[in-house]
């Protein structure tokens, strides 16, 4: 389903049973896989800095990202997303897993040039509302509640449980995306994909604990021995 500015929203991309299985695998992952930030927890799979001397897990390195084999429980969904051919002839090789509790969010940001300019996000456990902003207004015009004081804010997307969001092209390169620190989301005309969602005339939704699987392709990867100059 097509949305303006190169967004595609697919409700019910996975089944509730698949959602439960994924959540079980994620929460049973080894504790060292989790990194706790000020506003959320995350796991990196596929390409990461899993190194004792570097604590910025998942941040890009000028030479690329370290290769790591994806576990089988993630590979099936990476292949399912890859079969949509949104990465052209490339196979996704990186999965970022974020956990958001009610009231947690993330400031407007961009994913940057390290990744192929396409993002696929599978949504688990709860809905969220993803807000988009014009990148040219990113400096002084973002207020504390992540709304914009002028025309920088351009609209939002409602991401339901078990849905898939695909973002590419201009929406990837020219806009910022963020999540407000809400416990309740109002459903109004600012949400551009309401007609694609199963909301049954609701006007607001309470957030629960949410897990997002952000699936991407990293073109440049390196082996750990190359990064450290080990022969």
């Amino acid at each position: 389903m097509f949305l303006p500015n190169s967004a595609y929203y697919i409700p019910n991309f996975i089944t509730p049973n698949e959602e439960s299985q994924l959540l079980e695998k994620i929460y049973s992952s080894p504790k060292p896989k989790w990194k706790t930030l000020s506003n959320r927890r995350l796991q990196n799979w596929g390409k990461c800095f899993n190194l004792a001397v570097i604590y910025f897990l998942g941040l890009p390195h000028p030479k690329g990202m370290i290769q790591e084999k994806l576990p089988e429980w993630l590979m099936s969904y990476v292949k399912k997303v890859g079969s949509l051919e949104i990465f052209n002839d490339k196979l996704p090789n990186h999965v970022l897993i974020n956990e958001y509790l009610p009231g947690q969010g993330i400031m407007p940001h961009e994913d940057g040039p390290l990744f192929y300019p396409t993002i696929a996000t599978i949504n688990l456990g709860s809905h969220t509302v993803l807000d988009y902003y014009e990148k040219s207004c990113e400096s002084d015009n973002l207020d504390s509640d992540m709304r914009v004081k002028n025309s920088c804010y351009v609209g939002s997307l409602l991401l339901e449980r078990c849905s898939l969001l695909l973002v590419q092209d201009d929406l990837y390169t020219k806009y910022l995306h963020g999540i407000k620190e809400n416990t309740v989301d109002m459903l109004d005309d600012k949400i551009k994909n309401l007609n694609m969602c199963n909301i049954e005339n609701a006007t607001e939704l309470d957030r629960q604990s949410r897990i997002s699987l952000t699936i991407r392709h990293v073109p440049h990867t390196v082996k750990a021995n190359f990064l450290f100059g080990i022969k």
Side-chain angles (χ1 to χ4, degrees), residues 90-168:
K90 302 171 179 63
L91 182 69
N93 58 10
H94 177 249
V95 181
L96 178 64
I97 297 175
N98 280 295
E99 178 196 54
Y100 294 91
L101 302 179
Q104 292 183 332
I106 186 169
M107 289 297 293
H109 64 283
E110 61 180 324
D111 288 333
L114 176 69
F115 304 102
Y116 183 82
T118 294
I119 304 174
T121 301
I122 299 176
N123 205 55
L124 310 175
S126 176
H127 80 282
T128 199
V129 172
L130 192 61
D131 301 317
Y132 281 91
Y133 305 84
E134 295 175 359
K135 188 186 295 188
S136 60
C137 301
E138 64 182 288
S139 57
D140 296 328
N141 295 319
L142 297 177
D143 59 19
S144 60
D145 69 354
M146 296 178 62
R147 288 296 173 179
V148 178
K149 297 176 181 178
N150 57 26
S151 61
C152 294
Y153 170 74
V154 296
S156 302
L157 298 172
L158 174 63
L159 310 186
E160 300 169 287
R161 293 175 60 174
C162 300
S163 67
L164 177 72
L165 176 67
L166 307 175
V167 174
Q168 55 187 180

Side-chain angles (χ1 to χ4, degrees), residues 7-158:
Y8 300 81
Y9 180 71
I10 305 175
N12 303 314
F13 181 71
I14 63 173
T15 66
N17 185 55
E18 289 176 310
E19 178 192 43
S20 296
Q21 292 176 355
L22 274 170
L23 289 172
E24 181 180 358
K25 290 291 187 181
I26 290 166
Y27 282 114
S28 64
S29 297
K31 287 185 178 181
K33 258 315 214 187
W34 286 103
K35 179 174 177 62
T36 300
L37 305 181
S38 60
N39 58 349
R40 68 191 188 282
R41 293 196 302 166
L42 61 82
Q43 298 179 17
N44 258 286
W45 293 94
K47 304 287 177 280
C48 69
F49 290 115
N50 192 14
L51 307 170
V53 296
I54 300 178
Y55 291 94
F56 298 100
L57 182 63
L59 292 180
H61 185 276
K63 295 179 180 178
M65 297 185 82
I66 295 174
Q67 297 178 11
E68 177 188 68
K69 184 178 180 180
L70 287 169
E72 287 301 320
W73 59 270
L74 276 178
M75 271 305 300
S76 59
Y77 295 96
V78 166
K79 290 177 180 178
K80 184 175 181 178
V81 169
S83 69
L84 300 175
E85 299 184 352
I86 58 169
F87 297 91
N88 292 325
D89 59 344
K90 302 171 179 63
L91 182 69
N93 58 10
H94 177 249
V95 181
L96 178 64
I97 297 175
N98 280 295
E99 178 196 54
Y100 294 91
L101 302 179
Q104 292 183 332
I106 186 169
M107 289 297 293
H109 64 283
E110 61 180 324
D111 288 333
L114 176 69
F115 304 102
Y116 183 82
T118 294
I119 304 174
T121 301
I122 299 176
N123 205 55
L124 310 175
S126 176
H127 80 282
T128 199
V129 172
L130 192 61
D131 301 317
Y132 281 91
Y133 305 84
E134 295 175 359
K135 188 186 295 188
S136 60
C137 301
E138 64 182 288
S139 57
D140 296 328
N141 295 319
L142 297 177
D143 59 19
S144 60
D145 69 354
M146 296 178 62
R147 288 296 173 179
V148 178
K149 297 176 181 178
N150 57 26
S151 61
C152 294
Y153 170 74
V154 296
S156 302
L157 298 172
L158 174 63

Side-chain angles (χ1 to χ4, degrees), residues 141-209:
N141 295 319
L142 297 177
D143 59 19
S144 60
D145 69 354
M146 296 178 62
R147 288 296 173 179
V148 178
K149 297 176 181 178
N150 57 26
S151 61
C152 294
Y153 170 74
V154 296
S156 302
L157 298 172
L158 174 63
L159 310 186
E160 300 169 287
R161 293 175 60 174
C162 300
S163 67
L164 177 72
L165 176 67
L166 307 175
V167 174
Q168 55 187 180
D169 301 331
D170 284 353
L171 196 56
Y172 181 95
T173 58
K174 297 181 180 180
Y175 294 86
L176 306 176
H177 57 282
I179 299 172
K180 289 183 65 178
E181 294 181 340
N182 282 347
T183 57
V184 178
D185 291 301
M186 305 304 298
L187 306 181
D188 54 30
D189 58 4
K190 296 183 178 67
I191 298 177
K192 305 304 181 181
N193 65 327
L194 277 183
N195 63 322
M196 302 178 183
C197 299
N198 301 312
I199 56 173
E200 298 181 355
N201 299 318
T203 58
E204 62 182 49
L205 293 174
D206 294 327
R207 287 192 196 173
Q208 309 297 324
S209 296

